[in-house]
Amino acid sequence: MNEVFLDTETTGLSFNDGHKVVEVACIETKDLIATGRVFHKLINPKRSVPEEAFKIHGFSTEFLSTKETFNQIADDFLNFIRGKKIIIHNASFDLGFLNNELGRIKKQKIKAEVIDSLEIARNKFPGTSNSLDALCKRFNID
């Protein structure tokens, strides 16, 4: 079975507060070995990017204003992940945002087997930081 490692960047921490997805990045693997297929899109959120979010991902409102909207990339994104197991660090965050975006444009929400690597890390390393940065440092990954 093929897998997709997926990550997003957003304008803020809660889609309930009107925050939107500004980046979707996916790497396909087969039996956890990269196939060379990637899906990467920067997205115009059609709203301003707060300074706090800009400090995290570096995408300004002006820069994103020339990018495609989520509606324009949704079908390609859904086709890329279709039929694959999805691996996400802090899956509830990314899936919440993605499903909110899909719901806004009347597309079916993501229904796939999802593995949350944050949940796995918390079980394996309880009581320690399990952010992606902390895990990379722990495993000496640049």
Side-chain angles (χ1 to χ4, degrees):
M1 169 180 255
N2 288 22
E3 307 87 18
V4 169
F5 286 81
L6 183 152
D7 191 28
T8 65
E9 294 295 341
T10 66
T11 61
L13 297 177
S14 175
F15 58 84
N16 290 321
D17 294 333
H19 289 290
K20 308 279 290 292
V21 174
V22 297
E23 182 180 33
V24 177
C26 302
I27 297 173
E28 180 189 70
T29 62
K30 180 166 180 59
D31 300 322
L32 303 178
I33 305 211
T35 65
R37 291 190 65 225
V38 298
F39 178 89
H40 180 247
K41 293 288 182 176
L42 295 172
I43 300 165
N44 180 350
K46 296 287 195 176
R47 60 152 290 154
S48 65
V49 176
E51 185 66 24
E52 302 80 35
F54 175 77
K55 287 178 183 176
I56 292 170
H57 52 59
F59 304 132
S60 69
T61 303
E62 181 180 355
F63 174 73
L64 293 170
S65 70
T66 63
K67 306 305 178 194
E68 296 171 288
T69 62
F70 191 86
N71 187 47
Q72 292 171 305
I73 66 100
D75 287 335
D76 288 341
F77 167 67
L78 290 170
N79 287 333
F80 189 85
I81 67 169
R82 183 171 288 116
K84 298 175 182 122
K85 185 184 307 182
I86 302 173
I87 303 166
I88 308 172
H89 200 74
N90 196 7
S92 62
F93 180 86
D94 294 75
L95 285 176
F97 268 93
L98 290 168
N99 283 330
N100 183 64
E101 295 276 6
L102 291 165
R104 286 179 192 218
I105 59 173
K106 309 286 191 261
K107 299 272 185 192
Q108 186 172 9
K109 294 182 178 183
I110 296 169
K111 293 184 178 174
E113 180 181 353
V114 176
I115 296 173
D116 188 341
S117 58
L118 177 58
E119 187 178 310
I120 293 169
R122 284 178 174 158
N123 288 332
K124 183 119 176 115
F125 306 107
T128 64
S129 175
N130 288 299
S131 69
L132 287 176
D133 285 340
L135 291 170
C136 284
K137 196 175 271 187
R138 185 176 294 132
F139 291 109
N140 203 20
I141 298 170
D142 183 12

